[in-house]
Amino acid sequence: MNDESLLSARGLSLHFGAIPALVDVDVDLWPGEVLAIVGESGSGKTTLLNVLSGRMAADAGVVWYRDPAGRLVDVHAMPAPALRTLHRSDWGFVHQNPRDNLRMAVSAGGNVGERLMAQGARHYANIRAEAMRWLEEVEIDADRIDDLPRTFSGGMLQRLQIARTLVTHPRLVFMDEPTGGLDVSVQARLLDLIRSLVARFSIAVVLVTHDIAVARLLAQRIVVMQRGRVVETGLTDQVLDDPQHPYTQLLVSSVLQA
Amino acid sequence: MTQPILQTEGLSKSFTLHLQGGVRIPVLADVDLTLLPGECVALSGPSGAGKSTLMRSLYGNYRAGSGRILVRHDGAMVDIASADPRTIIAVRDRTLGYVSQFLRVVPRVPALDVVAEVLVGRGVAVARARDAAHDLLLRLNIPPRLHAVPPATFSGGEQQRVNLARGFIGAHPVLLLDEPTASLDGANSAVVIEMIRQAKARGVAIVGIFHDAEVRDQVADRLFPVMPLQDAA
């Protein structure tokens, strides 16, 4: 077992005025592992995702990332260009709203290929072939490659965003409610897709979700947040089947049985 | 002398229900269970006595309150009660298998892959894993036309057999079986009994809950009583 974590945060704190968004939060993520961050709206889970990924600064604490060369880098002390490079290659970010990540005036293939070009790929035929392969991976017909994303359904847009994110073979992907706002049947397909791609390519994921069923399906470990604090953490099935903290018990008991 | 492959020492477990005013329900107290390789121990006791709680605690699905749950994993004893999540995942992957009463179905994943993914997760080639899953499903009388179908629409007995295939394909040295024949007819129960016997002959240690006394008598070497705490006191 690899004992070296991929991402480690210690003592993260952040206040929005008088509101504590993060209070002394520690998080560890190991290579190839899916970690779910659950909690209700306002619990601080999206803020934590933004701080872990360096998109937002914390008042206190540190986030370490182990780069492919094995060096630990302080995410919040990195020069902005280095962080951008990281986000374009080794990292990915899947937003709840795919329009936040996709370029709606650029073709589906262009959206996927753009990330490769940002990494330095220049050979047009190779880029197109790789884009086509990734459209197929996310179950978008190859003959849609030249279509604009605006002609895509919500579920297709989300799959296109995933293709765009994974084309550079990131080691770490941050996901913010990736199935939020989708129909249940579309959600099931997307979940299955994420589940199999993440396993096949051994991608580490920090997944923010308010949906406990999504966490159970995708994540090996879970972090439960309430009012900016981590109130419980552990093995996903143990935390959900034998919750110890009052808030986790409330969260689990509030789920409707289908 | 043969060394235990699984051993609990003073295992206790209670539930604290914070939403019910913090009422504390003790379920297990000072459980000392020893399991040797090739042995099948049947948990016995009335409904609600804590048999499933004990089983789930052994698997790390429930958090032990106190005591130790030692499992021989990769040649060393690991304490499930205190191990970190990643260690428990590794123990479950290679050492400790569990067949729950109900299959937790994943949308869109066909029965064949529900079973095969146990091996794929260990790095076995997909084609080989699927071959093994195919053979095991056939043995459990799941016909090939169902292999490509997600089990959500299967009958209770069919889902149970997919679940059993998933549990047995990994050839774990320790197997936990929670009512493995509960929704099966006589012919399918007989298949499962034979699979349990063959596993035992290979040295697999089994802890089981068998509602059906006939099945239990055919596979269990001994009974381990689990009594409600009020009665035991």
Side-chain angles (χ1 to χ4, degrees), chain A residues 73-238:
Chain A
V73 291
D74 179 341
V75 170
H76 290 272
M78 288 174 85
L83 185 61
R84 273 201 302 276
T85 303
L86 198 56
H87 268 284
R88 274 203 300 257
S89 54
D90 218 19
W91 286 8
F93 203 109
V94 173
H95 298 259
Q96 173 171 2
N97 185 348
R99 291 171 188 82
D100 292 347
N101 194 356
L102 297 171
R103 302 223 295 172
M104 301 304 281
V106 172
S107 72
N111 263 287
V112 180
E114 190 183 45
R115 239 175 94 98
L116 284 175
M117 297 200 313
Q119 268 199 327
R122 287 293 174 262
H123 190 284
Y124 176 78
N126 289 352
I127 293 170
R128 189 174 169 84
E130 189 66 5
M132 195 168 290
R133 194 176 76 75
W134 272 96
L135 289 181
E136 280 165 17
E137 284 283 5
V138 299
E139 302 172 11
I140 294 175
D141 281 342
D143 61 13
R144 302 296 303 267
I145 190 168
D146 296 316
D147 293 353
L148 292 178
R150 81 164 72 94
T151 65
F152 286 13
S153 68
M156 281 173 76
L157 282 179
Q158 196 54 289
R159 283 182 274 130
L160 180 60
Q161 184 187 194
I162 287 168
R164 174 182 165 92
T165 305
L166 298 189
V167 68
T168 57
H169 291 275
R171 295 198 300 156
L172 169 58
V173 175
F174 300 92
M175 297 189 183
D176 189 6
E177 303 276 9
T179 60
L182 296 173
D183 289 344
V184 176
S185 61
V186 177
Q187 221 182 71
R189 178 180 193 178
L190 194 65
L191 283 173
D192 176 41
L193 196 68
I194 292 173
R195 185 172 171 271
S196 66
L197 289 174
V198 159
R200 264 174 57 211
F201 297 100
S202 205
I203 301 166
V205 177
V206 184
L207 167 79
V208 160
T209 178
H210 69 279
D211 188 334
I212 282 171
V214 169
R216 190 189 278 276
L217 191 63
L218 295 179
Q220 289 94 43
R221 286 194 306 122
I222 194 168
V223 166
V224 183
M225 291 193 72
Q226 181 193 30
R227 287 189 227 111
R229 291 174 194 274
V230 172
V231 296
E232 189 163 354
T233 177
L235 209 55
T236 302
D237 65 270
Q238 190 185 81

